Every structure is written in C-alpha cells, then in structure tokens.
Amino acid sequence: MEIKNTKFMKGIRGTDEILLDDVPQTAFVGRSNVGKSSVINALTNNKSLAKVGKKPGKTTEINFFLINSTFYIVDLPGYGYAQASLKEKQKLKNLIVWYLTYSEAKPKAVVLVLDVKAGLTEFDKEMLMVLTEEEHPCVIAVNKIDKMKQGEVTEVVYSIKKEYPKAHVMTCSTKTGKGIAALRARLFA
Ligand code: GDP
C-alpha cells in the first residue's frame, strides 16, 4: 500500500472516544530504544511522524496517527527507559497492558519491535503472553539487523520461532531499509 498521508491525531492516557470510532488500528509496542519510532517512520515514509531519539522516557501517552485517512497506527509508550524510576516504568506498563487488555481497542495487529542484539527480554515475553491471552494477531519485528551477520540474525529468528511457533517473525533495519517493504505489505496490504 502506498502511504499518501499521515496525521497525528492525539495522545491518550486512558479511555477516549478515539478507541470507539471504528477506524482499524495497528499497534506498535517495544522496549525503549529498540527503534520502534524509526520503524513507524520508515513504514509511513515520514521521517518525523514518531519522534526518533526523542528524550527517552518522555512519551508517556498512547499516540494515534491516522494513515491515508483510513487506519490508525497506535504507538504505545516505549517501556523500560533505564533512567525512569521503577514506579514510572510500572505506570507505563500498566498503560500498555490497559490498552491491550481492558480498553475497548481491538487492534487488527500488534507489532512487537525488538532489537536483534537484545533478543526477547522479560518485557517482550510478558507482552507476548498478554497478546496470546487476548488473542491479538501479533507480528514480531526484529529490528537493527544491520548490526549482525545474516547467519546470526537467522539464529535469533530461529530461536524466537522455536519459543513462539505461532508468532509471525519478520526482520528489518531502518538504517538500510531492508525488510521494511515486506513489513509494510504484511501490515497494511
Ligand atoms: P524507540 O525508543 O524504540 O522509539 O527507538 P528510536 O526509533 O528512537 O531509535 C533508537 C535509536 O536506535 C536511534 O539512535 C536510532 O537511530 C537507532 N536505530 C533505529 N533503528 C535502527 C536500525 O535499524 N539500525 C541501527 N543500527 N540503529 C537503529
């Protein structure tokens, strides 16, 4: 799908009418610094839609972007910024879990973005558990593959698939652009 226009709609921290307006949602979740904002920008061909390298820990809201006037990209807050306090981290996790579990949202797909070097962290495993329980279709986007040799990337993907046979695992690099078109086709076709 060609991305023709993108528009920031609003950031929410709890229930909101935007969750009920019947516009399909594709949500993105990931630990802070995995490249979630970069992936959103690469997918939408918009270098400044989600704020890359924004002061980490600053985004404490769930941001809605309207794409081609037809669907939302939902950017969930990055989790686990090292300098955030335990209380702040917990608050963000609660907001993410609220969106995935208790809110009225029924996302068409949830994309879990990983850094290939970090692999699946405890947070990612918790998210995969929630996604499975809630039966949200899930795509795992393994990002920053430019940082590793192809053979090592294949090993990481293999081990994720072994642990989560039902997850759809894809690889990409926003730096080289590899895998972005395939991810876009999978998510927005
Ligand atoms: P977020 O916190 O998950 O939204 O991550 P950002 O998109 O802000 O990116 C965090 C850092 O990772 C930035 O310095 C990006 O330039 C860098 N980054 C993002 N994607 C890639 C990638 O594919 N390869 C490499 N090497 N760096 C990346």
Side-chain angles (χ1 to χ4, degrees):
M1 174 195 275
E2 196 193 337
I3 307 294
K4 296 191 193 94
N5 54 71
T6 54
K7 185 179 173 203
F8 171 71
M9 298 300 285
K10 63 161 81 171
I12 67 168
R13 284 185 192 180
T15 193
D16 190 282
E17 61 198 12
I18 199 163
L19 292 163
L20 299 169
D21 65 8
D22 279 339
V23 177
Q25 302 173 22
T26 299
F28 289 73
V29 66
R31 278 184 69 87
S32 180
N33 214 41
V34 294
K36 175 166 58 68
S37 309
S38 303
V39 168
I40 291 173
N41 292 348
L43 288 171
T44 55
N45 298 318
N46 183 332
K47 285 198 177 81
S48 55
L49 192 64
K51 302 281 178 289
V52 173
K54 64 209 162 228
K55 243 186 164 174
K58 273 281 171 197
T59 308
T60 54
E61 299 189 321
I62 299 173
N63 288 317
F64 282 71
F65 303 101
L66 183 64
I67 313 298
N68 286 357
S69 312
T70 52
F71 67 94
Y72 290 134
I73 279 182
V74 181
D75 186 10
L76 293 163
Y79 173 78
Y81 173 53
Q83 266 141 8
S85 70
L86 215 61
K87 204 170 156 189
E88 285 166 328
K89 285 182 190 170
Q90 193 56 46
K91 217 169 144 186
L92 280 191
K93 198 199 278 178
N94 288 348
L95 184 59
I96 296 166
V97 171
W98 165 78
Y99 171 84
L100 295 171
T101 308
Y102 304 107
S103 78
E104 299 88 342
K106 290 274 166 288
K108 235 177 73 184
V110 179
V111 185
L112 176 67
V113 184
L114 306 182
D115 176 334
V116 70
K117 286 227 155 175
L120 282 175
T121 66
E122 275 313 304
F123 170 77
D124 301 313
K125 290 179 184 181
E126 275 178 58
M127 286 303 113
L128 286 166
M129 204 170 77
V130 173
L131 296 177
T132 306
E133 274 172 14
E134 297 299 318
E135 298 180 351
H136 291 315
C138 168
V139 173
I140 299 178
V142 182
N143 187 37
K144 304 199 186 184
I145 56 167
D146 57 279
K147 285 176 146 191
M148 262 191 190
K149 293 193 185 112
Q150 182 57 48
E152 293 169 319
V153 172
T154 306
E155 273 175 37
V156 171
V157 170
Y158 178 79
S159 70
I160 296 171
K161 281 186 173 166
K162 204 168 155 197
E163 207 170 335
Y164 296 93
K166 283 188 185 155
H168 190 87
V169 186
M170 300 187 76
T171 58
C172 62
S173 163
T174 66
K175 199 170 170 185
T176 65
K178 204 170 169 188
I180 296 296
L183 191 57
R184 190 186 295 124
R186 169 84 197 185
L187 296 174
F188 309 145

